[in-house]
Amino acid sequence: MTRVAVVGGGQLARMMAPAATAMGVTLRVLVESPEASAALAAHETVVGLPSDADAVRRLLAEPRPDVVTWEHEHIPDAVFELATQMGVPARPGRDALLFARDKIAMRGRLGELGLPMPAWRPVETEDDVEAFLAVHGGVGVLKTSRGGYDGKGVRMVRHPADADDWLAAAADGGPPLLIEQLVPYARELAIQVARRPSGEVRAWPLVESMQRDGVCSEVIAPAPRLTPAEQAEAESIGRTIAEALDVTGVLAVEMFEVDGRLVINELAMRPHNSGHWSIEGSVTSQFEQHLRAVLDWPLGDTAAIAPVTVMANVLGGSREVLESAWPEVTDPGAKVHLYGKGVRPGRKVGHVTVMGAHLDDVRKRAARVAATVRDGEQS
Ligand code: ADP
């Protein structure tokens, strides 16, 4: 029996489970608690944190997994060392993962590759910030190099003093900071590619993602008005990064579109929110593809099934409403995914996917069902 070990108990590991079941693969997940999102779906669970060596040993113990992978980038070095000791390939590997965990390392490496990015520099002092603002129109985007997600760790700055508290935290041992040019983008796009160790790479259609309060609210696949040239450029960026950084598994490259050009924002080396549409919307979902890729099995077809697929996130809401929402979902074509997570305002607790022929109609339907799932029946 093929067995894949996964570190992390969130919805990304949870959504690997149905794919694994269909493939005849046993999924063993290291979860933070027995109630974690993935614990409710995985075939085998080990409870513990990635920093707990005993728990990681149990994750990798007999019957030995064929490979260990991750649903997030915060994997301690000791996990890689244990995997090596215990003879379990770790994919994506430590060297690749660094570039998805550390924005300064990522910007530095992508710069060496000559890939399109906003102007940026690491900053340690108010003077650094002032010097950058002076040559970039008096405004910049300050970021923590590590630990940010969903817009936490990103702040617009117009004066060096706007950066004071973060500069102090960084000087005090917190994550280092970088500043970027504020990109006047027309929209945000993402390309996902999968790469297996023996080299095969496949890309999905480029998608558009919309954010609300720094959190992804909606994804449209393929991105509206997508041209073959833009798809080809995005694929080439995804492939270049996957190959140069030796990424195995699924890679998401978040990008800005500015004056018809693509500019890279950031990387994720795992299934990603921008790829949830592929569960129903593509011949091969990102979760199935990630398992195929880390197992070094032939990759599946990434073509879109419908002219338009829209994925709407369910953010926040109340657990009671979420759990009782199903009888209110009267759109027979809407696919609802609930993550079984505790609810907090703005937290991603589920998503809805609708496929069809007409963008406006599909978007409205997805948004309506997501609102019903979150807030109860809509008047
Ligand atoms: P996180 O790691 O928290 O997702 P991101 O780096 O993706 O942070 O930034 C979050 C959001 O902030 C982006 O989706 C985008 O809307 C905005 N943003 C980030 N960098 C820039 C930039 N250089 N110019 C303009 N907007 C940006």
Side-chain angles (χ1 to χ4, degrees):
M1 190 86 171
T2 302
R3 185 176 266 94
V4 174
V6 185
V7 173
Q11 67 265 24
L12 300 176
R14 178 185 175 98
M15 288 188 274
M16 290 178 199
T21 301
M23 294 163 79
V25 168
T26 299
L27 199 72
R28 184 188 292 166
V29 184
L30 180 67
V31 296
E32 305 77 54
S33 92
E35 290 81 42
S37 181
L40 308 172
H43 306 121
E44 301 172 351
T45 56
V46 174
V47 179
L49 295 174
S51 54
D52 173 350
D54 281 340
V56 175
R57 258 189 220 101
R58 272 181 281 133
L59 178 76
L60 304 179
E62 298 295 331
R64 196 169 72 179
D66 295 84
V67 63
V68 59
T69 188
W70 339 103
E71 66 138 26
H72 59 73
E73 288 90 7
H74 307 287
I75 307 300
D77 284 352
V79 173
F80 290 96
E81 281 149 24
L82 274 173
T84 305
Q85 269 172 34
M86 297 176 76
V88 179
R91 296 182 184 140
R94 176 177 12 197
D95 295 347
L97 215 57
L98 169 69
F99 300 108
R101 194 167 59 224
D102 185 320
K103 289 177 179 169
I104 292 178
M106 179 267 290
R107 288 274 181 247
R109 186 75 184 97
L110 299 193
E112 287 168 11
L113 294 170
L115 292 168
M117 282 192 303
W120 72 285
R121 62 164 288 178
V123 286
E124 289 178 2
T125 63
E126 275 199 28
D127 286 349
D128 294 344
V129 174
E130 187 164 18
F132 187 90
L133 294 179
V135 289
H136 293 287
V139 56
V141 181
L142 186 68
K143 298 187 176 185
T144 55
S145 57
R146 289 189 237 120
Y149 65 99
D150 286 351
K152 298 174 184 63
V154 174
R155 176 194 283 180
M156 274 244 284
V157 290
R158 293 181 183 281
H159 305 283
D162 296 344
D164 273 356
D165 50 340
W166 284 17
L167 290 167
D172 211 23
L177 304 176
L178 66 158
I179 192 164
E180 296 177 3
Q181 160 200 11
L182 179 71
V183 177
Y185 60 84
R187 55 181 180 164
E188 294 191 67
L189 302 170
I191 187 84
Q192 283 196 301
V193 302
R195 177 171 174 270
R196 56 188 281 217
S198 53
E200 188 187 7
V201 176
R202 280 181 186 260
W204 281 270
L206 185 63
V207 302
E208 177 171 352
S209 69
M210 274 87 158
Q211 335 291 323
R212 203 180 303 136
D213 301 327
V215 182
C216 172
S217 57
E218 206 184 340
V219 170
I220 303 174
R225 307 175 300 282
L226 179 62
T227 62
E230 200 169 28
Q231 174 71 27
E233 189 189 345
E235 276 192 42
S236 151
I237 289 172
R239 173 184 285 272
T240 301
I241 295 173
E243 288 174 348
L245 275 47
D246 192 21
V247 181
T248 45
V250 170
L251 165 74
V253 185
E254 295 184 78
M255 294 178 287
F256 302 121
E257 185 188 82
V258 49
D259 299 329
R261 296 290 324 272
L262 298 174
V263 173
I264 298 167
N265 181 25
E266 66 166 347
L267 310 180
M269 292 180 195
R270 50 175 168 77
H272 187 257
N273 199 175
S274 62
H276 291 354
W277 69 277
S278 65
I279 297 174
E280 292 89 8
S282 170
V283 176
T284 307
S285 84
Q286 63 167 346
F287 298 101
E288 175 181 338
Q289 196 82 304
H290 187 75
L291 296 175
R292 288 179 182 238
V294 296
L295 285 163
D296 202 13
W297 289 354
L299 300 180
D301 184 355
T302 47
I305 289 169
V308 184
T309 302
V310 172
M311 189 271 343
N313 276 334
V314 179
L315 302 172
S318 85
R319 181 130 196 178
E320 293 69 41
V321 173
L322 282 179
E323 284 170 356
S324 60
W326 267 105
E328 319 296 343
V329 177
T330 52
D331 183 331
K335 308 308 286 184
V336 177
H337 297 253
L338 297 180
Y339 304 155
K341 298 205 302 191
V343 179
R344 282 199 305 266
R347 191 179 199 199
K348 292 170 186 163
V349 290
H351 75 262
V352 174
T353 303
V354 177
M355 293 152 67
H358 303 290
L359 176 60
D360 290 347
D361 169 57
V362 173
R363 276 188 82 181
K364 273 193 206 117
R365 285 171 55 201
R368 190 180 305 127
V369 175
T372 300
V373 172
R374 203 187 75 143
D375 301 325
E377 194 174 8
Q378 304 294 293
S379 51

